[in-house]
Amino acid sequence: MVVTLDCERKNITGSFDCSKAPVARIADGDSVVCNVLDGDWHLGKPPVPKTGAGSFFEGKDAQRDAGHCLIGPIYVEGAKPGDTLAVRINECRTADWGWSRVGFADKDHMKRLNISELPEYFLNWDIDNETRRAVSNQGHVVAIRPFLGVVGLAPEQPGIHSTHPPRNVGGNLDCKLVTAGSTIYLPVMCEGAYFYVGDGHAVQGDGELGGTAIECTLDKVDLTFQIVHETIRNPILRTQDAWVTFGFDVDLTNAAYEALTEMANLIGKLYDMTFQEALAMASLVVDEHVTQIVNGVRGVHAILPDGAINKKG
């Protein structure tokens, strides 16, 4: 079955909460097709390149809608704590506009770059999904690779949780590999999983170094859900040609070690290796990337390409 969710008041929120009434109930194997506003809740392209310009969704709740605009929660029948929810991204299509900025963001990030006293630098972008490129109001041209900034489940503790930090249940991962053709595996912490999605990005480099991606509305997100009766600790991503593990911490070093530990555990499972043997192989064939440094809780992801490890014979 395919469930369609339009971006209207009853289907959107700006927080994670496992006690909130679901906007839809789906079964194992079902798909959801939706559209969603950009993270800042714009209703259209800003008329001038400036934060706060343009029209925004009205009727936001000060607490519940304080974060990114998300579709959710979606209740997955049969999903229980200890399970894993596999979410395949079939399609992720942006609107024809977006924006990016430096400044007006994480205060620690701006302070470290010595730009906290400077005015923001804001760019408007026109996006062409046919040519797969975006053009800014200053004439910059970049190739696009749309992906989901926020994809995750509600934490097990009832109540409102911010959309801004990444967590072990997903959330604001800001990983450019969470794109069409990939499957994200998320650890289920509460009955029904309580899935949320949003924060469209047209393109971003690893690190999200300036503070944002090209932030954009998503005209179409097509997802398929499957319950896996196995337990994982952190999100795991399966791309078209690699396995990816994640680590999150306010300390980037801790995040890097968490991503490495998760990758060594995954290699051990995939290739029947001890933890030390898996670490020895990871040292040869796994790359670690800084996912993002701008959300308070930093992210690191480790990538194991297909075919990098083979047995003799």
Side-chain angles (χ1 to χ4, degrees):
M1 183 176 74
V2 177
V3 174
T4 300
L5 295 172
D6 291 325
C7 188
E8 51 186 317
R9 175 69 275 183
K10 66 178 183 178
N11 294 331
I12 58 177
T13 186
S15 58
F16 291 93
D17 185 357
C18 68
S19 62
K20 187 178 184 295
V23 301
R25 289 177 175 265
I26 63 172
D28 188 6
D30 284 351
S31 295
V32 170
V33 176
C34 63
N35 62 311
V36 66
L37 302 178
D38 72 319
D40 276 11
W41 303 66
H42 283 94
L43 293 177
K45 180 182 178 181
V48 294
K50 182 180 179 181
T51 294
S55 58
F56 296 82
F57 184 88
E58 296 182 356
K60 290 172 61 179
D61 179 270
Q63 289 184 309
R64 189 169 292 281
D65 298 326
H68 303 86
C69 182
L70 305 178
I71 291 283
I74 296 169
Y75 188 100
V76 184
E77 300 282 358
K80 300 183 184 302
D83 287 338
T84 294
L85 185 67
V87 185
R88 177 171 175 78
I89 306 165
N90 303 312
E91 186 175 358
C92 181
R93 189 174 71 226
T94 74
D96 61 3
W97 61 272
W99 57 268
S100 62
R101 68 178 172 226
V102 172
F104 199 79
D106 182 279
K107 289 183 173 56
D108 178 66
H109 181 66
M110 293 188 292
K111 183 178 179 181
R112 288 171 182 266
L113 292 170
N114 297 314
I115 60 171
S116 56
E117 302 301 320
L118 298 179
E120 70 171 4
Y121 184 83
F122 194 103
L123 293 171
N124 270 341
W125 294 86
D126 292 317
I127 301 171
D128 189 326
N129 280 285
E130 297 302 317
T131 62
R132 305 286 290 181
R133 54 179 219 162
V135 182
S136 78
N137 59 292
Q138 295 288 351
H140 313 99
V141 180
V142 296
I144 66 169
R145 191 171 188 263
F147 70 98
L148 302 173
V150 175
V151 54
L153 308 181
E156 60 185 321
Q157 301 84 4
I160 293 173
H161 297 268
S162 172
T163 69
H164 291 288
R167 301 181 177 89
N168 70 311
V169 287
N172 193 22
L173 301 180
D174 281 337
C175 178
K176 68 182 183 181
L177 300 177
V178 186
T179 187
S182 294
T183 298
I184 186 81
Y185 295 85
L186 302 167
V188 177
M189 295 295 171
C190 53
E191 188 170 336
Y194 279 77
F195 175 83
Y196 295 78
V197 65
D199 189 28
H201 293 162
V203 65
Q204 176 202 296
D206 286 336
E208 199 174 15
L209 302 177
T212 75
I214 294 183
E215 311 287 327
C216 59
T217 289
L218 296 173
D219 281 349
K220 185 179 181 182
V221 179
D222 185 338
L223 307 170
T224 300
F225 297 79
Q226 181 182 3
I227 299 169
V228 180
H229 299 298
E230 296 182 15
T231 300
I232 59 175
R233 291 194 324 136
N234 278 2
I236 296 175
L237 183 69
R238 174 63 193 169
T239 73
Q240 293 179 330
D241 57 8
W243 286 100
V244 182
T245 58
F246 293 88
F248 313 112
D249 198 275
V250 294
D251 184 301
L252 191 62
T253 299
N254 290 342
Y257 276 102
E258 185 174 293
L260 173 57
T261 299
E262 293 294 298
M263 177 53 75
N265 287 333
L266 179 61
I267 290 174
K269 179 179 178 181
L270 293 174
Y271 297 97
D272 191 25
M273 294 183 184
T274 66
F275 186 75
Q276 285 183 296
E277 184 181 6
L279 280 175
M281 296 307 299
S283 188
L284 308 180
V285 298
V286 171
D287 293 318
E288 281 205 333
H289 294 235
V290 175
T291 319
Q292 56 75 26
I293 56 174
V294 298
N295 294 323
V297 175
R298 277 75 174 173
V300 172
H301 58 281
I303 305 174
L304 171 67
D306 287 353
I309 299 175
N310 294 287
K311 290 287 188 178
K312 182 179 179 181

